[in-house]
């Protein structure tokens, strides 16, 4: 006689099923918590090209997420850092059929403009989608360009702007073939130079390049610091393995988040601030990147 069955208790399969439901519920609750709570994380870089100390904030992949009404929590955290400049690596909005507007982007940019420091903005794949698919998204990209212009943002579409006399900030437009799912193209030699010209050899060269897949190309071009995002930290992060899956359906790629070096050049990959389509984060809190740039002593 199975006494547990006689007492109306579930068997092992029932207990396992219940445990699975509880674990799934706990995971979803944790994911929801992480999506609403960001972390501010600092990286220090030293270069002989820098003439004075600077503090930069790098934001990427907000995807219409909000931290408090009008993103007041996010803006407050940035204000407390007292940045000398804010750099945005693209995808502040979600652009897909049935969902594309600029309200969150407008609130963010407006709040950042009130800080009084320069803002540099390079496109991600969602801004490119607005621009390329005008039959679907109409005049939205022109509205986006005007929004940035009205707030005095340096919108870097294959362009370079300067921060003081010692820092060059370039924004690279990455062709859509490099964002292809599963098997994106490799970035051929000379691609960045055709887009941007030569890297500045005298200034500390910052490159805003949305995809982190191409560190070799960025370093080979001459970027002292490349700033990327796009992979949302890998959606779920596992100990020792890192990010599980990118938005391009690649698995366990090393460049999902963190700091990487190549031939003395550095790439920092943000975990981003939002999600879209796959609205999950686990062991992968949204991230504000603070960069302390220091002259060599």
């Amino acid at each position: 006689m199975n006494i547990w069955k006689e007492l109306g208790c579930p068997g092992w399969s029932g207990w396992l099923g219940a445990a699975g439901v509880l674990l799934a519920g706990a995971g979803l609750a944790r994911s929801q918590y992480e999506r609403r709570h960001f972390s501010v994380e600092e990286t220090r870089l030293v270069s002989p090209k820098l003439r004075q100390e600077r503090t930069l904030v790098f934001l990427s992949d907000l995807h219409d997420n909000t931290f408090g009404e009008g993103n007041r929590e996010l803006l407050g955290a940035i204000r407390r850092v007292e940045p000398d400049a804010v750099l945005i690596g693209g995808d502040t909005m979600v652009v897909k059929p049935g969902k594309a507007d600029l309200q969150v982007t407008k609130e963010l940019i407006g709040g950042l403009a009130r800080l009084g420091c320069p803002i540099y903005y390079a496109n991600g794949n969602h801004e490119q989608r607005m621009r390329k698919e005008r039959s679907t998204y109409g005049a939205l990209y022109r509205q986006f360009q005007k929004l940035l212009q009205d707030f005095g943002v340096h919108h870097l579409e294959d362009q370079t702007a300067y921060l003081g006399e010692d820092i060059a900030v370039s924004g690279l437009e990455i062709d859509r073939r490099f964002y292809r799912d599963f098997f994106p193209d490799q970035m051929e030699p000379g691609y960045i130079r055709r887009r941007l010209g030569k890297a500045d050899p005298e200034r500390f060269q910052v490159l805003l390049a949305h995809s982190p897949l191409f560190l070799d190309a960025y370093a080979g071009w001459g970027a002292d610091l490349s700033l990327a995002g796009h992979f949302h930290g890998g959606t779920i992060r596992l100990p020792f393995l890192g990010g599980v899956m990118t938005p391009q359906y690649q698995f366990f790629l090393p460049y999902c988040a963190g700091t990487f070096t190549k031939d003395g050049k550095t790439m920092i990959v943000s975990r981003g601030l939002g999600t879209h389509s796959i609205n999950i984060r686990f062991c992968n809190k949204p991230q504000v990147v603070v960069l302390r740039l220091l002259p060599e002593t």
Side-chain angles (χ1 to χ4, degrees), residues 4-233:
W4 298 109
K5 186 174 181 180
E6 291 295 322
L7 292 173
C9 296
W12 284 112
S13 61
W15 285 115
L16 289 172
V21 170
L22 288 173
L23 285 173
L28 289 173
R30 177 64 193 183
S31 175
Q32 185 66 17
Y33 171 84
E34 290 192 18
R35 289 170 60 197
R36 296 300 180 192
H37 295 81
F38 62 87
S39 63
V40 179
E41 300 173 24
E42 181 177 312
T43 299
R44 291 175 174 254
L45 296 172
V46 178
S47 172
K49 295 181 179 180
L50 294 165
R51 300 182 185 179
Q52 65 185 83
E53 181 176 342
R54 297 257 191 15
T55 298
L56 310 182
V57 166
F58 174 54
L59 309 174
S60 188
D61 299 278
L62 181 66
H63 287 305
D64 289 331
N65 197 15
T66 55
F67 301 93
E69 185 177 355
N71 259 313
R72 66 175 181 268
E73 295 172 16
L74 176 61
L75 291 166
I78 296 169
R79 185 179 300 109
R80 288 189 290 275
V81 171
E82 299 182 344
D84 296 297
V86 175
L87 285 64
I88 302 176
D91 284 8
T92 60
M93 71 293 291
V94 175
V95 179
K96 59 183 181 181
K99 183 174 177 57
D101 70 62
L102 300 175
Q103 183 59 37
V104 173
T105 298
K106 182 178 181 179
E107 292 171 349
L108 175 71
I109 299 299
L112 292 173
R114 288 191 287 275
L115 298 178
C117 64
I119 304 167
Y120 303 86
Y121 194 118
N123 288 344
N125 55 303
H126 282 248
E127 289 88 352
Q128 286 194 5
R129 193 175 300 161
M130 270 195 294
R131 187 181 62 188
K132 295 290 187 181
E133 299 179 21
R134 294 185 180 181
S135 60
T136 302
Y137 302 108
L140 197 64
Y141 191 73
R142 288 194 296 274
Q143 295 172 26
F144 168 68
Q145 289 176 305
K146 186 176 186 305
L147 185 160
L148 298 185
Q149 182 180 24
D150 288 348
F151 284 114
V153 175
H154 300 278
H155 188 197
L156 304 177
E157 301 172 285
D158 285 334
Q159 293 171 308
T160 298
Y162 300 95
L163 177 60
E165 297 181 353
D166 54 344
I167 298 178
V169 183
S170 301
L172 176 66
E173 291 285 288
I174 300 174
D175 286 344
R176 295 175 74 183
R177 59 193 172 96
F178 299 118
Y179 292 117
R180 189 178 298 137
D181 290 345
F182 298 106
F183 302 107
D185 283 4
Q186 294 300 305
M187 191 170 284
E188 62 271 16
Y191 176 83
I192 302 176
R193 187 166 177 174
R194 289 195 301 272
R195 289 279 193 172
L196 284 169
K198 294 181 180 180
D200 194 318
E202 304 299 326
R203 294 178 172 91
F204 185 79
Q205 177 68 68
V206 179
L207 178 65
L208 295 172
H210 190 64
S211 173
L213 281 178
F214 309 107
L215 173 57
D216 288 357
Y218 304 156
W221 176 70
D224 297 296
L225 172 62
S226 301
L227 297 173
H230 185 49
F231 285 171
H232 304 173

